[in-house]
Amino acid sequence: MTEDLFRLFKSHLDCQSQSMKTLPPVKDWTTPLCGDIDIVINRQGKWLHEGSEIRRSSLVKFFSSLLLREGDDYFLITPEEKWRITVELAPFLIIRADRACKAGHQLISLLTHTDELIVMSNDHPFCIEYEQGSDEPIPLVLVRDGMKGLINRSVFYELVSWGMPKGVPSGHVIESMGVQFDLE
């Protein structure tokens, strides 16, 4: 990210920093594993406990602040307890995208269902993944600490509408903070 882009979009980047500032330092905690707990974050980003959806958004937001990823495993961690949970696809769901254009440059900011704001950039790259045997794209963005957010369908379509053609025969990309991301 060049210094010019940082100055140009300083207010947006400050909002992202503020969003992340309130998170506890889960990476610093060395809590031993207590075991597994029946909490699942399903493919739609819903948190389930023993099969029932956790409907209190404040509780989901609190739990998401205690998420830790180690390898392919996800944990809820505090200084006293560490419980392995199941994440079916991605622990976050992207529910909104906003675009700012200044001096010929574009910034894409994304909002998670837990109110974390991220800016698509080298630090928060966008990617498309595919499950084995499927040609349906799974649009993802790195939210924090190796954990990705699934971009919901309407937001993905919005990103595609903001994209531009590139390459031969028919590539499509979106740019944010001077970085181009493939939309295919």
Side-chain angles (χ1 to χ4, degrees):
M1 179 176 350
T2 69
E3 190 63 34
D4 291 339
L5 286 175
F6 182 81
R7 276 195 303 268
L8 197 60
F9 293 111
K10 183 179 182 330
S11 64
H12 294 84
L13 296 169
D14 287 348
C15 287
Q16 174 183 266
S17 294
Q18 191 62 33
S19 166
M20 302 289 185
K21 204 177 268 188
T22 59
L23 296 170
V26 297
K27 293 183 298 185
D28 298 338
W29 295 336
T30 57
T31 312
L33 182 64
C34 296
D36 295 356
I37 190 169
D38 189 6
I39 291 180
V40 175
I41 304 174
N42 71 13
R43 294 179 68 86
Q44 292 76 38
K46 293 181 179 171
W47 286 64
L48 308 171
H49 179 251
E50 296 180 350
S52 297
E53 182 178 356
I54 301 172
R55 296 188 182 272
R56 289 182 46 206
S57 61
S58 60
L59 189 55
V60 169
K61 186 175 180 177
F62 171 69
F63 282 159
S64 74
S65 74
L66 300 175
L67 273 174
L68 175 69
R69 180 177 180 186
E70 293 177 345
D72 291 333
D73 292 326
Y74 291 86
F75 304 90
L76 289 178
I77 186 170
T78 71
E80 300 298 322
E81 296 184 42
K82 179 179 181 181
W83 296 93
R84 186 182 351 261
I85 67 167
T86 301
V87 175
E88 291 182 350
L89 182 60
F92 297 99
L93 180 65
I94 307 301
I95 59 169
R96 193 178 85 211
D98 292 303
R99 174 171 72 161
C101 298
K102 295 181 181 180
H105 296 282
Q106 177 172 270
L107 172 141
I108 306 294
S109 60
L110 302 169
L111 183 68
T112 71
H113 68 305
T114 55
D115 294 328
E116 290 181 52
L117 181 71
I118 58 168
V119 172
M120 280 176 43
S121 64
N122 281 327
D123 294 333
H124 300 279
F126 168 90
C127 68
I128 300 276
E129 293 182 4
Y130 294 89
E131 288 185 318
Q132 188 172 356
S134 173
D135 61 353
E136 185 172 336
I138 301 171
L140 299 159
V141 66
L142 182 63
V143 175
R144 62 176 152 90
D145 301 327
M147 295 182 285
K148 295 180 180 178
L150 173 66
I151 298 173
N152 80 17
R153 189 173 301 243
S154 63
V155 172
F156 179 57
Y157 289 156
E158 192 164 31
L159 294 177
V160 169
S161 76
W162 294 338
M164 58 190 158
K166 180 180 182 193
V168 177
S170 62
H172 205 72
V173 297
I174 188 163
E175 184 175 319
S176 181
M177 294 302 294
V179 182
Q180 289 188 347
F181 300 100
D182 288 327
L183 288 168
E184 298 177 22

